[in-house]
Amino acid sequence: MTTEGEDRAFILHRYPFSDSSLVLEVLTASQGRLGLLARGARRPRSALGGLEAGRPFLLRWRGHGELPTLVGADEASPARLFDPWQGLCLFYVNELVLRLTARNDPAPELFAAYTEVLEALWSERRATWYLRRFEQRLLQALGWAADLSHCAVCGSAWQPGTDAWSQGPGTAPRCPQHAEPGAPVLPDALIQWLRGHMAEAPPAAVREPLRRYLRAQIDSLLDGRPLESRRLLAAYLQRQRDSGRPVW
Ligand SMILES: [Zn+2]
């Protein structure tokens, strides 16, 4: 059965296929992640040239099976140029989506979160907190976010201002009574931020615990295979430090 489709989409990843074509992994607004074959896209003057990550497109495809054929691509807004830091952050976001989602699994909340993180990439050029927001939104959209309202052992409700909760095995939070010795603390402000709208940067004091908490959750889903983008981001930040430039 041949199917046709059209949707707003972002390119997550592209790789060569045969002499002149590309396989695209894209995130669509209503159909989740799709694989598409862009025939002839690597030929000079192809109408399917310029299919790059970080740009919003309206894509049209036709075909069946795992890899329908891309038949049209209109850019939905003017192209933006990425500096190296923005490019690495985009690579990280795309790698997370590729590693944690499957094809043909609709996730409209994820598309909204992806659009939001790309906007933040532009407006907050030198921040990183919006990556934490995207990580949490991604976990929520895929149904893997830890329940931050209840202790994973006794089910007691979290209350702001009580003794700090801690991270349990599998990253689910635990009340003080059920904390394991040496478990990372989850400050109140961290839980409050993750439970709220995450519209603004979290308090500076919780940024590092927040990064570690979300990293532990994501790592538990990655089957031990590291993220290439994380290695590149760490190397970039180290070069900034080595050269005396400010690290944000
Ligand atoms: Zn408990």
Side-chain angles (χ1 to χ4, degrees):
M1 187 180 75
T2 297
T3 57
E4 293 192 25
E6 176 181 279
D7 208 346
R8 291 179 294 138
F10 290 95
I11 315 289
L12 300 171
H13 184 53
R14 38 181 267 175
Y15 51 92
F17 183 84
S18 74
D19 287 344
S20 60
S21 300
L22 287 174
V23 171
L24 307 175
E25 294 290 340
V26 307
L27 181 67
T28 67
S30 59
Q31 296 170 70
R33 198 183 116 205
L34 296 179
L36 296 173
L37 178 60
R39 290 187 193 279
R42 290 161 64 214
R43 289 199 189 106
R45 295 184 293 282
S46 164
L48 297 177
L51 291 165
E52 287 166 10
R55 301 178 178 185
F57 288 97
L58 182 66
L59 300 182
R60 291 179 299 283
W61 60 89
R62 187 181 302 140
H64 52 83
E66 271 288 290
L67 209 58
T69 300
L70 183 69
V71 295
D74 296 318
E75 193 149 8
S77 62
R80 291 159 155 177
L81 291 176
F82 292 99
D83 69 20
W85 172 254
Q86 290 171 313
L88 286 171
C89 291
L90 178 65
F91 179 29
Y92 174 66
V93 165
N94 287 345
E95 195 177 16
L96 276 183
V97 176
L98 281 167
R99 290 285 299 277
L100 297 180
T101 64
R103 284 178 178 169
N104 304 305
D105 186 12
E109 304 89 354
L110 175 56
F111 188 82
Y114 188 92
T115 306
E116 180 185 61
V117 76
L118 281 201
E119 281 309 310
L121 202 59
W122 287 101
S123 58
E124 307 263 348
R125 292 174 90 91
R126 288 294 168 259
T128 54
W129 69 270
Y130 57 80
L131 295 175
R132 306 292 86 80
R133 178 175 64 189
F134 178 74
E135 289 163 350
Q136 176 69 358
R137 292 222 197 284
L138 174 67
L139 293 167
Q140 288 170 334
L142 301 175
W144 290 324
D147 175 8
L148 288 162
S149 302
H150 300 94
C151 168
V153 178
C154 67
S156 64
W158 174 81
Q159 301 282 349
T162 55
D163 285 344
W165 283 27
S166 61
Q167 198 167 314
T171 71
R174 291 182 171 207
C175 73
Q177 200 187 335
H178 295 107
E180 294 203 328
V185 169
L186 299 177
D188 266 19
L190 178 154
I191 295 182
Q192 288 198 44
W193 192 77
L194 288 173
R195 282 164 49 101
H197 297 296
M198 300 184 283
E200 293 177 357
V206 302
R207 285 183 199 169
E208 187 54 23
L210 187 61
R211 189 186 68 79
R212 283 199 305 265
Y213 169 75
L214 288 163
R215 180 171 177 151
Q217 286 218 64
I218 288 168
D219 284 353
S220 72
L221 301 167
L222 287 177
D223 305 327
R225 200 153 56 90
L227 294 168
E228 174 67 6
S229 54
R230 205 183 258 163
R231 188 183 67 76
L232 294 175
L233 279 165
Y236 181 90
L237 291 174
Q238 190 59 50
R239 279 203 304 279
Q240 292 285 114
R241 285 189 202 96
D242 291 348
S243 60
R245 285 193 284 268
V247 174
W248 45 91

